[in-house]
Amino acid sequence: MDREDLFMKKFKYYKRNNPKPSLEQVILFNDEYTILKQVNNIPHTKNDPRTEILGLKDLRVWQSLAFSDHPGFVIIRNPFTALGQRYWIRKCLEEYSKSPNKRNIDIDTSLNDWWSECYKSGKCDKKFQNKLRWTTLGYHHNWDTKVYSEESKGIFPSELAELCEVVAQYLGYEPFRAEAAIVNYYHMCSTLSAHTDHSEVNLDAPLFSFSFGQSAIFLLGRHEKTIEPSAFLLNSGDIAIMSKEARLCYHAVPKILPATKCPWSDIVRPVQKSNIHLKCMKAEDISEMNKNIKENEWRNFENYIAESRININVRQVLMENQITL
Ligand SMILES: O=C(O)CCC(=O)C(=O)O
C-alpha cells in the first residue's frame, strides 16, 4: 500500500476556504510560545555597525527561535526597523522587479520597469500589477531544469548580500555568499506547493528567507512527504533559516493570512548619518533609506503590501572555494 502523502493532506487542509482551517495547531510567535517550545536566543553583547543602514534593529535585541522537532530550522522574529521594512519592500517592488532580472512576466512583455508601468496612467493598474509572481536575482533559478548555469546569471544586489552576511554572522553561519535569490510576490489567494530546494551545488550553506507584508502559514516537513509537516505563522519581517538537517526538507505555503500587525506602519525614525560607521556607505544610501519616511513617497508601496506578501529567498550556489559553475 502507498504510504500516505501527509504533507499534501496538511497543505490541502490549510489551503481550504470553506470551511476555514483551524489555526489551533499553527505555531505562532506570541509570547506564550516561549513556554511551549525551545527558545534559542543568541546573546549578543555587541551590535554590528551595519545594522541601521540595512534597516535592522540592534543585534542585542534580536530574538531567534530554534525548534527541537526541526533541527537546523531557525526563525528570527522581525529584526527589522519600520523604516527597514519599507526599504526592503520598496526594493523588491521598484528595483528587483526590473530586467535584466528574470521575471514570470517576461513571457508576455519585454518592458523593463514593471512598477512604473503599473502607474503609467496616473492610477494603479491592479490587474497588471498582480501579474508579477516572481523575479530571480544572481544565478537565475531555472524552473524547468532546476539547474543553474553561468550563462544565466545577473549581478547579485550588494545590499541584499550584505543583509545576509549580517544574519549569517549573527547565527555563526560563516562564511556565507549570497549568490542566487527568488523574490516571490504573493496575493491573498496565492499558494506555493511542496518542494525542496536542491539545485545548489552547495547544499550545506543555509537558505535565508525574508518575509514582508501579509502573513503566511509556512509548512515545514522532513525529507519525505509521508511525514506530517509542522505549520508556522510567518509575519512581516521574520527571517526563516533552513540549515543543516532542515536545509533539504519539504516546505510550502498553503495560505496567506491578513497580518494582525503592520510593522511597516510603526513609527519611523530617520537613519542618522553620524550613526553610520561603514566605510562603503554613501550619502545616497542613507537618503534611499530615509526617503520612505515621506508618506507620499511610500503610499503606493503601502497600498501594494496591504494586500500582498513578499518573500526573498536567498541561497549560496557554489562551494566555498569554487569560483564558477
Ligand atoms: O514564501 C516562502 O516563505 C517560501 C518560499 C520558498 O520556499 C521558495 O521560494 O523556495
Side-chain angles (χ1 to χ4, degrees):
M1 199 180 78
D2 280 349
R3 291 205 293 154
E4 207 184 351
D5 185 342
L6 292 178
F7 198 110
M8 181 55 100
K9 202 171 163 189
K10 266 258 164 111
F11 183 90
K12 285 185 177 159
Y13 174 76
Y14 284 114
K15 186 182 170 194
R16 79 185 189 196
N17 285 322
N18 204 359
K20 282 197 187 315
S22 158
L23 301 185
E24 217 166 74
Q25 300 288 317
V26 178
I27 298 167
L28 310 167
F29 305 113
N30 52 26
D31 294 330
E32 284 150 46
Y33 180 75
T34 54
I35 303 159
L36 302 174
K37 290 261 171 175
Q38 179 194 336
V39 175
N40 176 34
N41 231 8
I42 300 174
H44 269 64
T45 49
K46 246 177 88 193
N47 190 23
D48 182 312
R50 295 172 292 181
T51 47
E52 194 174 5
I53 193 65
L54 289 167
L56 293 164
K57 296 175 193 159
D58 189 310
L59 291 189
R60 286 167 289 192
V61 300
W62 287 23
Q63 236 190 333
S64 63
L65 306 169
F67 306 90
S68 42
D69 300 346
H70 294 278
F73 183 60
V74 178
I75 290 182
I76 303 175
R77 280 179 69 180
N78 181 23
F80 291 91
T81 61
L83 198 56
Q85 294 228 359
R86 293 186 183 195
Y87 171 83
W88 289 106
I89 291 167
R90 185 167 181 165
K91 277 268 174 212
C92 291
L93 294 172
E94 200 174 43
E95 217 176 292
Y96 299 163
S97 63
K98 280 189 183 148
S99 60
N101 294 331
K102 292 202 188 297
R103 310 158 303 177
N104 67 303
I105 53 171
D106 293 336
I107 306 171
D108 301 322
T109 175
S110 58
L111 67 91
N112 161 44
D113 189 346
W114 159 82
W115 182 256
S116 300
E117 188 72 17
C118 294
Y119 288 91
K120 197 174 64 176
S121 70
K123 64 179 181 48
C124 179
D125 179 347
K126 280 251 179 212
K127 200 164 162 227
F128 179 70
Q129 192 174 57
N130 284 346
K131 287 195 170 153
L132 185 73
R133 294 302 317 278
W134 56 260
T135 69
T136 53
L137 321 174
Y139 278 107
H140 296 296
H141 181 73
N142 186 321
W143 300 87
D144 302 319
T145 63
K146 311 260 187 266
V147 178
Y148 293 108
S149 85
E150 286 300 323
E151 286 67 52
S152 181
K153 179 184 168 185
I155 295 168
F156 195 91
S158 56
E159 66 287 343
L160 184 55
E162 191 137 23
L163 173 69
C164 293
E165 198 183 298
V166 169
V167 179
Q169 270 180 17
Y170 169 82
L171 293 169
Y173 295 151
E174 291 174 274
F176 177 83
R177 265 194 339 248
E179 291 169 327
I182 300 175
V183 185
N184 295 295
Y185 303 84
Y186 295 86
H187 310 304
M188 295 315 285
C189 57
S190 307
T191 60
L192 180 73
S193 52
H195 66 282
T196 59
D197 297 309
H198 54 260
S199 303
E200 295 70 33
V201 180
N202 188 335
L203 294 171
D204 292 325
L207 188 153
F208 294 92
S209 172
F210 301 87
S211 293
F212 295 105
Q214 302 306 302
S215 301
I217 295 182
F218 179 80
L219 294 183
L220 179 67
R222 305 290 166 90
H223 294 176
E224 297 97 38
K225 288 204 274 178
T226 47
I227 300 171
E228 192 175 47
S230 303
F232 297 87
L233 187 76
L234 293 181
N235 293 314
S236 193
D238 288 345
I239 309 175
I241 299 102
M242 293 173 70
S243 72
K244 301 176 187 152
E245 294 96 308
R247 175 63 180 81
L248 286 170
C249 288
Y250 274 97
H251 54 285
V253 177
K255 188 93 168 169
I256 305 297
L257 292 170
T260 52
K261 285 185 185 155
C262 304
W264 57 88
S265 294
D266 291 349
I267 295 167
V268 275
R269 293 194 176 81
V271 170
Q272 302 294 339
K273 204 169 168 195
S274 55
N275 291 348
I276 306 300
H277 310 285
L278 203 62
K279 278 192 225 100
C280 63
M281 284 329 296
K282 300 182 289 292
E284 300 93 87
D285 298 315
I286 297 170
S287 59
E288 198 188 334
M289 179 65 74
N290 286 344
K291 72 180 174 190
N292 296 309
I293 295 173
K294 292 196 191 115
E295 291 308 319
N296 62 335
E297 279 276 351
W298 167 245
R299 190 170 305 118
N300 290 343
F301 303 98
E302 164 136 47
N303 289 341
Y304 180 94
I305 212 65
E307 300 178 345
S308 310
R309 169 176 185 258
I310 297 175
N311 171 263
I312 318 175
N313 216 277
V314 184
R315 300 105 197 261
Q316 174 166 339
V317 173
L318 305 175
M319 301 303 285
E320 202 183 320
N321 303 322
Q322 202 178 350
I323 298 165
T324 60
L325 279 169

